[in-house]
Amino acid sequence: MSLKENVICTFCGCLCDDINVEVENEGITNLKRACANGRSKILGYDENRVESPQIRKNGELTKVSLEEAVEKTAEILKESKFPLIYGLSSTETDAQKLAVELAEVIGATIDNTASVCHGPTILGIQNSGAPECTLGEVKNRADLIIFWGCNPAEAHTRHPTRYSVIPEGMFVKGRKDREVINVDVRETNTSKMSDTFIRVEPGKDYELLSALRASVKGHDIGDVAGVSSDTIKELTEKMKGCKFGVIYFGLGLSLSLGMHMNVLAALELVRDLNDYTKFSINPMRGHFNVTGANKVMTWLTGYPFAVNFSRGYPIYGPGEFTALDVLRRGECDSALIIASDPIAHFPAQASKHLEKIPTIVIDPKVNATTSVADVVIPSAIAGIECGGIAYRMDGIPLELKPFIESDVSSDKEILAKIIEKAKE
Ligand code: SF4
């Protein structure tokens, strides 16, 4: 038996780096500190795996060698006029880098899953900048935590216990020193662990944020978005009076009516609050390395998602080159999906187009998209079977520590082979 200490859980954007795993005969015998979501990913790593490279022949997925699958992939992508590369948020940064290189080689459109989650957040940040901070700063200093349109008690379970609500920090002595406020359209388990729950009417986040901005500047504009004038004033006083406040927000803000304008209003509220105290704002990122996907694409192309290389240089086009839109309009004539399952998540119109065109999937697991793919290539699970770098939700890069030996190729190795073939 070997004990692997302080490995990183690669389920959500918290990237908890204190997980202990006991491994015996390549199986996990004990797992400590992971939450239910992390446990399910780590303990279920060998379930439902893609067993070998496959190509669809006469309508059936047929086992082939990795070389044959790679050759077929390169052939499909090279013959396409408008290939799409999509996914990338559940793999490590070297693979993300090679996916961008491949997009440039074949003149593809490349997009990551941020376009269907915090894409509007990125657009909001591009408009006004964002006073973000690290999870460590929050743990050590924050005395006012606002969870807006997110439910960390269920989606990022250890966020409250490791960083934002419970832990003792250098200048904050645990839960009793923190005020926790939850703003959402309905009560959740996050409301239950908060001191105050503020119910906002669905689709009215922008109005409430704007009312708070007015209130911070001393104006009372009455009841807004189902929230009383007194509650708005009380929240304003708490925000202006704290030592270090932070808003964590989720898709309840970025994907509800108003989208990037909601995020922009929240960012501007936080900017205004910094005239009175220290205040930060951070998105709750879902997939473990979606932050890395945005960072890597930005280093290499200048843009975080929705990039088109058809002219040989990167063109940014949210709404135009976002995978969902490209698929819904039926524009792409092939697709390479890496570490993602769009058929399970995209609307029917987009999924139907994916079913019609040659689709290649690189993924460790059998999923809805592998079931319609023409080429399926199994890969090692980043953080469990292969290493690399992932970016935590606060932009901190962490080195993954694989703990299971595997002879399955990593996304990085597979993409390097595809690039080599595509260049021939
Ligand atoms: S909070 Fe996220 S990263 Fe941490 S153990 Fe749970 S699933 Fe894993």
Side-chain angles (χ1 to χ4, degrees):
M1 187 274 292
S2 74
L3 171 66
K4 314 278 179 179
E5 290 182 295
N6 299 324
V7 305
I8 295 177
C9 171
T10 51
F11 183 87
C12 82
C14 288
L15 285 180
C16 294
D17 56 357
D18 62 346
I19 310 297
N20 286 356
V21 191
E22 284 173 18
V23 180
E24 195 164 2
N25 301 327
E26 295 178 19
I28 298 168
T29 52
N30 201 359
L31 176 64
K32 286 192 180 144
R33 300 200 187 104
C35 71
N37 293 334
R39 288 184 77 79
S40 131
K41 173 163 182 176
I42 295 169
L43 294 175
Y45 83 96
D46 60 348
E47 290 168 8
N48 209 26
R49 297 297 293 259
V50 175
E51 282 174 8
S52 80
Q54 296 161 68
I55 294 179
R56 194 170 295 278
K57 295 179 179 172
N58 301 320
E60 293 288 323
L61 281 173
T62 310
K63 287 184 183 179
V64 294
S65 66
L66 178 59
E67 285 61 39
E68 197 180 333
V70 164
E71 186 139 1
K72 183 72 181 169
T73 299
E75 183 190 307
I76 291 171
L77 295 175
K78 278 164 77 177
E79 281 175 4
S80 300
K81 290 201 176 85
F82 194 143
L84 169 71
I85 299 177
Y86 175 73
L88 300 171
S89 302
S90 294
T91 189
E92 46 80 37
T93 54
D94 277 345
Q96 293 165 342
K97 188 177 81 175
L98 289 176
V100 176
E101 185 182 338
L102 178 61
E104 187 172 15
V105 169
I106 59 172
T109 290
I110 181 164
D111 189 28
N112 54 66
T113 63
S115 67
V116 288
C117 60
H118 275 291
T121 299
I122 294 168
L123 298 181
I125 291 172
Q126 285 172 332
N127 268 282
S128 74
E132 294 180 343
C133 66
T134 65
L135 289 165
E137 282 176 279
V138 168
K139 175 185 170 183
N140 286 313
R141 297 173 186 276
D143 59 345
L144 177 65
I145 318 288
I146 300 175
F147 292 117
W148 194 307
C150 60
N151 183 10
E154 284 169 68
H156 298 85
T157 320
R158 296 186 76 214
H159 189 286
T161 53
R162 280 197 92 197
Y163 301 110
S164 52
V165 178
I166 307 287
E168 188 167 322
M170 268 190 275
F171 306 106
V172 193
K173 302 295 169 216
R175 179 68 180 90
K176 65 178 171 42
D177 272 0
R178 290 194 184 92
E179 170 120 32
V180 181
I181 295 170
N182 179 214
V183 183
D184 213 329
V185 295
R186 62 177 160 272
E187 288 191 51
T188 62
N189 280 338
T190 298
S191 327
K192 288 179 196 149
M193 69 176 194
S194 302
D195 300 301
T196 309
F197 171 64
I198 298 174
R199 188 189 303 276
V200 56
E201 284 174 8
K204 296 271 182 72
D205 299 84
Y206 182 84
E207 285 84 340
L208 182 56
L209 287 159
S210 301
L212 285 165
R213 284 193 74 197
S215 179
V216 166
K217 295 191 181 200
H219 305 291
D220 178 1
I221 54 173
D223 299 354
V224 174
V227 181
S228 72
S229 164
D230 284 348
T231 304
I232 292 172
K233 274 189 223 150
E234 208 177 306
L235 178 55
T236 304
E237 273 160 31
K238 283 178 182 168
M239 290 193 297
K240 284 167 88 172
C242 71
K243 289 190 187 132
F244 186 131
V246 59
I247 296 176
Y248 282 109
F249 66 96
L251 303 188
L253 187 70
S254 68
L255 286 188
S256 63
L257 190 67
M259 298 181 79
H260 70 282
M261 293 306 292
N262 294 341
V263 178
L264 192 53
L267 292 167
E268 286 177 343
L269 169 65
V270 169
R271 190 180 61 194
D272 294 347
L273 286 165
N274 275 284
D275 286 343
Y276 303 91
T277 185
K278 168 75 184 161
F279 227 99
S280 279
I281 178 164
N282 301 280
M284 301 289 275
R285 305 305 302 266
H287 292 106
F288 80 85
N289 200 22
V290 65
T291 305
N294 298 142
K295 298 245 181 235
V296 169
M297 282 186 63
T298 306
W299 300 333
L300 294 171
T301 71
Y303 309 113
F305 64 105
V307 175
N308 174 274
F309 277 100
S310 60
R311 294 191 180 179
Y313 54 86
I315 307 169
Y316 184 42
E320 187 177 5
F321 300 125
T322 25
L324 183 53
D325 299 284
V326 165
L327 286 165
R328 197 161 42 193
R329 291 192 299 261
E331 290 170 347
C332 55
D333 57 354
S334 73
L336 169 60
I337 310 298
I338 303 160
S340 183
D341 186 12
I343 294 270
H345 301 103
F346 279 9
Q349 205 181 348
S351 296
K352 273 189 190 139
H353 186 66
L354 207 49
E355 287 176 40
K356 277 190 223 153
I357 59 174
T359 298
I360 304 120
V361 178
I362 303 174
D363 204 284
K365 302 264 185 165
V366 174
N367 59 36
T369 310
T370 60
S371 69
V372 305
D374 299 278
V375 182
V376 180
I377 304 180
S379 58
I381 302 177
I384 295 179
E385 296 166 324
C386 64
I389 301 288
Y391 279 76
R392 208 167 61 180
M393 63 162 72
D394 54 354
I396 301 296
L398 297 171
E399 186 166 1
L400 304 177
K401 297 177 186 165
F403 47 88
I404 297 283
E405 286 191 18
S406 169
D407 54 9
V408 180
S409 300
S410 64
D411 292 322
K412 176 173 78 170
E413 290 162 344
I414 296 162
L415 284 164
K417 285 179 199 274
I418 296 171
I419 291 171
E420 203 181 306
K421 279 281 164 203
K423 283 181 173 169
E424 280 176 6

